[in-house]
Amino acid sequence: MHQQRSEPHLSPSSDTEDIVAILAPRLAYFAGVARTEHVTRAAQEMQVPQSTLSRAMVRLEQDLGVDLFARRGRTVSLTPAGRTFLSSVERALAEIERAADEVRADADPATGKVAFGFLHTMGSETVPGLIRAFRVDHPRVRFSLVQNYGEAMIERLRSGELDLCLTSPVPDAPDLVARRLDEQKLRLVVPADHRLASRRRIRLAEAADETFVTLEPGYGLRRITDDLCQQAGFRPRVAFEGEEAETLRGLVAAGLGVALLPPPAVPRPGVVELTVTAPRAAREIGVAWLDGHPDTPPVAAFKKFLLSKRGTLLPD
């Protein structure tokens, strides 16, 4: 009696969270009784005491404020309200079963899924090569791939949408774990007919009077560009801002400015790429994940694989 009185009970003002918390544990019991139309048989099938099942059904009806069953001894039949309720309960239970199957499949060591984010500049060669190499030993692991800029991927890590991400700069935040994997040199990209195009090397200060095309604020490469120009003693005069490095290269080829960019996957006509001798122009590439977040076996395997690529992630 004490246990029964201490159980939560719905009131007319109960919100949706209360309703779900109170009703959810009884839904499978209700579906079992509705399917068999016999309390004893349902209790045997579900391997619960008949008294527990009977009390659960009575309490369910009390909480809802409607009769779900018409009773004839231990045999029951659904009322019109019970049939309406059963239809929704069966859909809800089926969705729960589907979700359980999905998360179990995603965690399977052989066929599970890794949600992996990376910078746009990593997408043409680096990431496809990494996944190809990883799948030599894990041929059936699946990937959900997201290309974005660094800050957006960090937010996706925090929201649980990503397991791992390749980003730059390497983040330093108390809720994240980040490991430096490699370094990528940046070049000053100029139009092929530019006054500096005959040069092979340049100090960045020599481009102080140039118009720059850059990525938008919030992108890691934009932050690095601004910092390098500041170290060289000037603030870049920005004419165009974009979201993707190869678009910027196209703007440079069209004569619309110069840009600090990582090497292209494939050489692009119409531009010349100059080595920057001062300040040191490079960006660190690292892998990050949420601190304390448990890894599924496929995520743990891919994380270990990425960490084994320290110093060899990018071509020389």
Side-chain angles (χ1 to χ4, degrees):
M1 288 297 292
H2 172 75
Q3 181 182 5
Q4 188 175 24
R5 280 195 297 271
S6 65
E7 288 180 354
H9 187 78
L10 287 176
S11 68
S13 62
S14 294
D15 61 22
T16 301
E17 253 182 48
D18 292 334
I19 294 170
V20 171
I22 292 171
L23 297 186
R26 305 189 185 110
L27 297 185
Y29 287 171
F30 166 74
V33 174
R35 183 178 61 252
T36 61
E37 295 189 330
H38 197 283
V39 177
T40 301
R41 194 153 51 244
Q44 290 171 346
E45 288 185 4
M46 289 185 283
Q47 298 182 339
V48 296
Q50 179 182 314
S51 58
T52 299
L53 196 55
S54 296
R55 284 197 301 271
M57 293 304 94
V58 170
R59 190 59 189 272
L60 178 60
E61 291 177 313
Q62 290 173 347
D63 286 335
L64 290 173
V66 296
D67 290 328
L68 300 175
F69 298 103
R71 290 168 173 80
R72 294 183 298 276
R74 289 190 174 89
T75 300
V76 297
S77 61
L78 288 169
T79 64
R83 284 193 294 272
T84 299
F85 191 55
L86 177 63
S87 177
S88 295
V89 166
E90 287 178 332
R91 287 198 300 272
L93 293 175
E95 182 63 18
I96 291 170
E97 184 176 2
R98 184 203 63 76
D101 289 342
E102 183 176 337
V103 296
R104 283 196 295 261
D106 287 349
D108 184 275
T111 62
K113 185 173 73 174
V114 179
F116 181 45
F118 52 92
L119 301 169
H120 290 283
T121 50
M122 305 275 103
S124 59
E125 285 195 346
T126 301
V127 168
L130 285 171
I131 293 176
R132 181 176 63 247
F134 175 74
R135 282 168 65 92
V136 170
D137 294 323
H138 304 82
R140 295 190 293 159
V141 167
R142 296 168 290 124
F143 283 84
S144 173
L145 301 176
V146 173
Q147 285 180 275
N148 216 320
Y149 65 99
E151 289 184 8
M153 287 193 294
I154 297 305
E155 288 310 306
R156 290 200 178 199
L157 277 181
R158 289 182 169 131
S159 69
E161 296 176 61
L162 291 177
D163 299 309
L164 303 163
C165 71
L166 279 183
T167 189
S168 177
V170 180
D172 181 14
D175 60 335
L176 300 176
V177 180
R179 297 287 183 266
R180 181 186 183 277
L181 295 180
D182 214 336
E183 181 180 88
Q184 189 174 49
K185 292 181 180 178
L186 302 178
R187 300 167 177 171
L188 185 69
V189 185
V190 303
D193 58 357
H194 192 272
R195 65 181 179 85
L196 297 172
S198 61
R199 303 272 296 276
R200 294 180 59 188
R201 304 160 72 85
I202 189 173
R203 290 178 295 106
L204 190 56
E206 296 178 72
D209 295 330
E210 299 293 333
T211 296
F212 278 72
V213 295
T214 71
L215 295 178
E216 294 177 351
Y219 283 68
L221 187 55
R222 170 60 180 271
R223 196 184 323 157
I224 293 169
T225 295
D226 290 345
D227 288 347
L228 288 173
C229 290
Q230 184 179 22
Q231 291 176 47
F234 69 96
R235 182 176 180 177
R237 186 159 42 95
V238 177
F240 295 92
E241 295 175 333
E243 297 181 345
E244 205 274 321
E246 287 312 300
T247 299
L248 299 187
R249 225 175 226 99
L251 294 173
V252 173
L256 300 176
V258 302
L260 277 169
L261 296 173
V266 178
R268 184 180 186 120
V271 300
V272 174
E273 311 220 356
L274 309 178
T275 299
V276 178
T277 58
R280 189 170 182 275
R283 65 172 181 172
E284 290 185 333
I285 306 294
V287 59
W289 60 88
L290 198 60
D291 190 21
H293 192 274
D295 292 334
T296 63
V299 170
F302 190 59
K303 181 190 292 185
K304 181 179 179 181
F305 171 80
L306 289 176
L307 293 175
S308 75
K309 295 297 179 182
R310 284 191 181 113
T312 61
L313 182 75
L314 303 171
D316 294 334

